[in-house]
Amino acid sequence: GENVEQHPSTLSVQEGDSAVIKCTYSDSASNYFPWYKQELGKRPQLIIDIRSNVGEKKDQRIAVTLNKTAKHFSLHITETQPEDSAVYFCAAGGSQGNLIFGKGTKLSVKP
Amino acid sequence: AAGVIQSPRHLIKEKRETATLKCYPIPRHDTVYWYQQGPGQDPQFLISFYEKMQSDKGSIPDRFSAQQFSDYHSELNMSSLELGDSALYFCASSLEGAGNSGNTIYFGEGSWLTVV
């Protein structure tokens, strides 16, 4: 089955700096890669996603890149703000439609 | 816009008891997923349903069962509860099994289960 590895597990940056989170996946059949932001005790919220026919997607300060050959994808957050502090999960769309999540990255943005 | 509705939001049960969680997907969504998230852990996929049929099975214990009804709502039944079952249980929904179809999966607010 699908296996998703996510790094780093924790990330601390200064406000205004960029943050990068990387994920790799194992199932070459996966072709949907969303990123979720989760605040403590709340539901995961979709922040951006990418399909396998696209190599890069950007939405304001957030961008995601996908390398299908290498089976890895990354989340880039620019000009980080304290409210970006949360746990970020990458996920890969399984062959049956379910999502397999990475272990999460706790991002802390220091003012 | 309507979201995924889960009930109850909080539930406290004793060991060996039974619990049932309910999920009402976004209108017109035909696929429901259940995830379990322990403290400080990533959401673990339990089971999913598409058009009232089980579509995939993850790490769901044999003590748990689930089904999707004709109105597309789903229920997760958990029996012989153990302390380790204490977690946040998320239901999510999508159109036509999101994953490789590219349809977005939306999560409910979750149901907190505490087993004492």
Side-chain angles (χ1 to χ4, degrees), chain A:
Chain A
E2 176 66 277
N3 182 51
V4 178
E5 299 284 338
Q6 183 173 346
H7 298 281
S9 56
T10 60
L11 180 58
S12 183
V13 299
Q14 287 294 134
E15 182 176 1
D17 287 351
S18 295
V20 180
I21 303 171
K22 298 182 179 182
C23 289
T24 61
Y25 62 98
S26 61
D27 187 354
S28 56
S30 293
N31 62 10
Y32 174 59
F33 308 95
W35 287 86
Y36 286 85
K37 175 184 179 182
Q38 187 178 32
E39 298 177 356
L40 190 62
K42 296 188 177 181
R43 64 180 166 184
Q45 297 241 352
L46 179 72
I47 56 171
I48 196 168
D49 57 13
I50 192 167
R51 273 77 172 169
S52 61
N53 58 343
V54 176
E56 184 175 356
K57 184 177 178 180
K58 189 173 182 180
D59 182 6
Q60 300 183 347
R61 298 185 296 109
I62 296 173
V64 57
T65 59
L66 171 65
N67 183 328
K68 281 227 76 179
T69 302
K71 289 191 279 190
H72 66 70
F73 54 114
S74 301
L75 177 71
H76 305 251
I77 306 174
T78 58
E79 301 172 25
T80 54
Q81 301 166 3
E83 51 266 38
D84 293 331
S85 297
V87 177
Y88 290 80
F89 291 99
C90 64
S95 57
Q96 299 298 325
N98 59 295
L99 290 177
I100 302 301
F101 285 83
K103 296 294 183 189
T105 296
K106 184 176 181 180
L107 174 64
S108 299
V109 180
K110 298 179 180 178

